[in-house]
Amino acid sequence: MTRRATMRRATAKDAADLAGVARATFTETFGMLYSAADLATFLEQHTPEDWAREIADPAYSVAVVEEGHIVVGYVKLGPPRLPFTPKEGAIELRQFYLLQPWQGAGMGPKMMEWALEEARARGMREMYLSVFVDNERARRFYAKYEFKDVGRYAFMVGDHEDTDIVMRRAL
């Protein structure tokens, strides 16, 4: 089946859909790694209210990926909050997710180009992201875009501690 997803900037009307896709993509990608309690605690942070607040905040940029009028993924940029002291002019690629049926259909590069162009348009000089140490597919994807490993940190899902790799690239 051919996928014909498109991208556009998120609006407040997308908040509930983004919250649902955020929970669904995280669960299908990582849900098997955690207890039900840890996963539920983590997913509580993806509420429509939180999404609406970030969409309205000019420090964030969010793009939705949709097929027809169904949201199937998203990209979110925001102020760095990883455990390091970024230089001025840094932005974080906070989230980059597509539901599994749309993965491998060519949207990943479009999403990354949007993120890089958006960061440059904001005058940013470098972009950071974090990726689960065992997520080899994502790590290879980011390496294609010249992101380099610059450290590790503990990423918490409920009470469960994972190791994430922090990656950086100059813009």
Side-chain angles (χ1 to χ4, degrees):
M1 178 177 181
T2 302
R3 300 287 179 191
R4 300 194 194 295
T6 59
M7 287 185 67
R8 64 173 172 77
R9 190 168 298 278
T11 70
K13 292 178 183 177
D14 296 311
D17 288 336
L18 285 164
V21 170
R23 289 189 299 265
T25 54
F26 189 86
T27 300
E28 72 183 12
T29 305
F30 303 112
M32 75 296 283
L33 301 174
Y34 309 109
S35 71
D38 285 336
L39 184 60
T41 298
F42 181 80
L43 295 177
E44 287 173 3
Q45 61 191 304
H46 292 289
T47 68
E49 296 77 19
D50 290 335
W51 276 98
R53 192 171 28 262
E54 288 181 344
I55 291 167
D57 185 338
Y60 290 82
S61 288
V62 181
V64 297
V65 178
E66 60 188 356
E67 187 166 323
H69 297 290
I70 307 297
V71 176
V72 299
Y74 64 95
V75 180
K76 180 168 57 172
L77 297 172
R81 77 172 178 212
L82 293 166
F84 64 92
T85 305
K87 298 175 186 172
E88 190 170 325
I91 196 162
E92 183 181 334
L93 178 57
R94 292 274 185 94
Q95 294 165 340
F96 189 102
Y97 284 104
L98 269 172
L99 289 167
Q100 285 180 355
W102 286 266
Q103 294 174 13
M107 278 312 297
K110 292 176 186 175
M111 294 166 68
M112 182 57 75
E113 289 303 324
W114 178 88
L116 295 170
E117 288 173 21
E118 180 70 13
R120 288 182 192 113
R122 289 170 165 257
M124 298 295 134
R125 293 189 300 272
E126 57 187 10
M127 182 181 289
Y128 289 83
L129 60 84
S130 71
V131 60
F132 180 50
V133 70
D134 291 333
N135 191 342
E136 295 291 335
R137 182 177 181 185
R139 291 174 57 196
R140 283 190 307 273
F141 177 80
Y142 296 135
K144 285 181 187 177
Y145 287 91
E146 301 175 9
F147 282 88
K148 305 286 187 227
D149 183 337
V150 295
R152 295 171 192 257
Y153 84 105
F155 181 83
M156 299 303 295
V157 176
D159 291 327
H160 182 97
E161 181 179 306
D162 281 327
T163 300
D164 267 22
I165 296 171
V166 176
M167 300 181 85
R168 176 200 166 275
R169 78 159 270 167
L171 297 172

